[in-house]
Amino acid sequence: MSSAARRRKGGEVESDYIKYLKYKNTGFQVSASDKTLVWWPTKDADRAYAHAEVTKDDGKNFTVRLEDNTEKSQPKNEKTYLGVNPPKFDGVEDMGELGYLSEPAVLHNLKKRYDAGLFHTYSGLFLVVVNPYKRLPVYTPEIIDMYRGRPRDKVAPHIFAISDGAYRAMLNTRQNQSMLITGESGAGKTENTKKVIQYLTAIAGRAEGGLLEQQLLEFNPILEAFGNAKTTKNNNSSRFGKFIELQFNAGGQITGANTFIYLLEKSRVTAQGAGERNFHIFYQILSKAMPEELKQKLKLTKPEDYFFLNQNACYTVDDMDDAKEFDHMLKAFDILNINEEERLAIFQTISAILHLGNLPFIDVNSETAGLKDEVELNIAASCWACRPPG
Ligand SMILES: Nc1ncnc2c1ncn2[C@@H]1O[C@H](COP(=O)(O)OP(=O)(O)OP(=O)(O)O)[C@@H](O)[C@H]1O
Ligand SMILES: [Mg+2]
């Protein structure tokens, strides 16, 4: 039985769509009497703005009474006079509808919606997605069906509505379409990019379970293993930018894809900040999912033994199992037809980097460094199938 169906059992009919995507105004609301309210910046750690009551306003200057009853005056202009919208605007789906459109008005609306469990809101052409930090059933096949072919203003804000809009615009105008996914680290760019691909493969795929669709959905574990790392802001932070190009035929079916990668943070390979890790792949090849025989061949032991991994003693990530992720990546290798020989070459390359990090440098004299021994150098050289110099 599907989870949606299970929830419906027992007469509790509240679809995931209504629950997580539609704002419910919490009943009758009295507007704030005849007071005129504005937003006033605070220095509080948990809020950027608070309400203040306008007590004088001559058009040029205005005076407000703050929560602590002190009064403040300011010249009146659109930057200082940040009107509070009436409560009927609370939770609007498109912030373009707000009478007063200012930073505090936008933040207030996003918070109202987020507190009600809704994390998608439009701001004109943009969709603002606030990270829910929990898996919610809003990306299910049932929800995909609700968005398929529906105009944006007929359905609640969602990444699927934006994806559907781009797809329909491509079919109607026969022009390329772009989506820009941006935000600070940990905002949810990678997660939402995957949802766009999930949606487009569902509505524009050739056949259920087709190889190309599967490849599109599954190439991420590989990119993430080699390009993502734990940082202090995000346990799975992408340390590169990417441009994904999807190609469609005249009938609107997906026919191919390209991914262009920009600016990988290479410095992370040799050193990481406090509380951060190297790229996931290094820990994955040292996990229990890596075949023992291969580990021995590549002289791999445990993360604690490698200088490139042990400088901060940060080895694990909450809620992430390196062995499971490695298995996931191997499945992705299967789907993308990366053969045994290529896999071995990849693991050899990664292992050699770890061995090179352990070269035992010594001071020969004040101007020259040398190696205490060549054990690690020889292992690295054999991983790369080359002879060490000398
Ligand atoms: N829509 C979502 N539903 C559930 N969890 C989410 C969602 N979006 C983000 N998250 C959570 O937040 C974490 C960070 O998101 P994500 O990796 O997409 O951020 P990012 O914007 O790509 O950051 P970076 O710039 O560091 O790569 C995810 O690992 C996941 O736990
Ligand atoms: Mg990312």
Side-chain angles (χ1 to χ4, degrees):
M1 193 190 308
S2 76
S3 60
R6 220 175 295 128
R7 257 193 305 284
R8 283 184 184 93
K9 237 179 111 191
E12 288 274 317
V13 186
E14 187 175 37
S15 76
D16 296 330
Y17 175 75
I18 299 287
K19 192 164 168 194
Y20 298 109
L21 297 165
K22 290 303 283 180
Y23 189 78
K24 290 166 285 299
N25 231 328
T26 44
F28 185 70
Q29 287 176 323
V30 191
S31 75
S33 68
D34 53 357
K35 287 179 185 171
T36 304
L37 296 175
V38 288
W39 293 106
W40 199 262
T42 76
K43 294 200 163 62
D44 302 353
D46 58 345
R47 57 180 186 168
Y49 297 90
H51 282 168
E53 185 191 343
V54 179
T55 52
K56 253 187 250 158
D57 181 356
D58 65 10
K60 275 191 162 174
N61 296 292
F62 69 107
T63 305
V64 293
R65 184 180 304 123
L66 304 182
E67 283 176 346
D68 61 3
N69 270 328
T70 54
E71 295 223 325
K72 294 260 160 95
S73 295
Q74 283 260 40
K76 187 175 179 182
N77 61 48
E78 60 183 30
K79 284 203 179 115
T80 55
Y81 192 94
L82 305 168
V84 171
N85 289 302
K88 68 168 180 169
F89 285 103
D90 282 354
V92 288
E93 293 191 339
D94 186 343
M95 290 182 295
E97 292 166 29
L98 294 175
Y100 289 110
L101 184 59
S102 61
E103 181 179 272
V106 163
L107 292 175
H108 173 73
N109 191 50
L110 290 176
K111 181 164 187 334
K112 276 278 169 190
R113 289 177 65 79
Y114 196 77
D115 289 347
L118 315 177
F119 61 102
H120 302 90
T121 308
Y122 291 127
S123 180
L125 281 177
F126 284 87
L127 170 69
V128 181
V129 185
V130 183
N131 192 335
Y133 281 112
K134 54 184 172 219
R135 302 278 159 201
L136 299 171
V138 292
Y139 305 111
T140 56
E142 292 84 3
I143 300 279
I144 290 183
D145 281 340
M146 299 201 61
Y147 281 86
R148 194 190 295 258
R150 294 245 169 94
R152 191 181 115 148
D153 56 349
K154 297 280 182 285
V155 271
H158 197 294
I159 187 76
F160 290 168
I162 298 282
S163 311
D164 201 84
Y167 182 65
R168 306 287 152 200
M170 177 192 69
L171 292 182
N172 293 337
T173 65
R174 305 271 140 187
Q175 301 264 321
N176 289 332
Q177 305 290 316
S178 310
M179 288 173 67
L180 174 69
I181 301 188
T182 175
E184 66 174 316
S185 178
K189 298 180 293 295
T190 300
E191 294 292 326
N192 279 278
T193 305
K194 289 186 225 174
K195 303 307 174 206
V196 172
I197 295 176
Q198 179 201 348
Y199 186 78
L200 291 175
T201 50
I203 64 161
R206 275 156 190 261
E208 194 83 0
L211 181 63
L212 180 61
E213 287 73 29
Q214 249 186 316
Q215 288 177 330
L216 269 173
L217 291 168
E218 286 297 338
F219 76 99
N220 252 304
I222 304 180
L223 287 190
E224 293 187 14
F226 290 88
N228 285 29
K230 172 188 159 46
T231 65
T232 50
K233 288 197 168 170
N234 180 358
N235 283 346
N236 185 34
S237 184
S238 323
R239 311 311 297 165
F240 61 101
K242 65 174 182 274
F243 171 63
I244 304 173
E245 181 185 69
L246 300 180
Q247 290 136 8
F248 298 81
N249 63 17
Q253 292 171 322
I254 298 180
T255 53
N258 274 318
T259 302
F260 303 89
I261 306 276
Y262 305 98
L263 293 174
L264 177 68
E265 184 193 44
K266 298 191 192 87
S267 59
R268 183 169 294 273
V269 172
T270 54
Q272 310 86 38
E276 304 206 341
R277 289 207 315 181
N278 209 320
F279 293 104
H280 298 322
I281 186 67
F282 291 110
Y283 309 86
Q284 292 181 4
I285 59 166
L286 296 166
S287 74
K288 60 179 190 296
M290 177 82 163
E292 203 49 49
E293 187 193 339
L294 203 51
K295 262 193 193 166
Q296 279 177 13
K297 182 172 173 181
L298 301 170
K299 303 276 190 290
L300 292 175
T301 52
K302 53 187 192 308
E304 289 81 345
D305 295 335
Y306 298 98
F307 180 67
F308 286 166
L309 308 182
N310 65 16
Q311 294 165 63
N312 293 312
C314 179
Y315 303 113
T316 52
V317 182
D318 288 346
D319 302 324
M320 182 182 285
D321 179 339
D322 291 312
K324 263 200 199 140
E325 296 300 325
F326 186 68
D327 279 337
H328 203 165
M329 193 193 65
L330 292 182
K331 286 204 187 87
F333 276 171
D334 286 340
I335 293 168
L336 285 146
N337 297 324
I338 295 176
N339 66 31
E340 286 300 327
E341 200 183 323
E342 289 161 334
R343 286 175 209 211
L344 181 62
I346 292 170
F347 298 148
Q348 281 174 320
T349 308
I350 298 294
S351 309
I353 293 171
L354 289 179
H355 292 298
L356 281 184
N358 280 2
L359 291 184
F361 287 109
I362 46 164
D363 222 357
V364 175
N365 56 47
S366 58
E367 283 177 8
T368 323
L371 285 179
K372 196 165 123 220
D373 62 63
E374 296 193 346
V375 179
E376 294 285 349
L377 184 67
N378 286 324
I379 302 175
S382 79
C383 285
W384 277 340
C386 62
R387 249 178 314 167

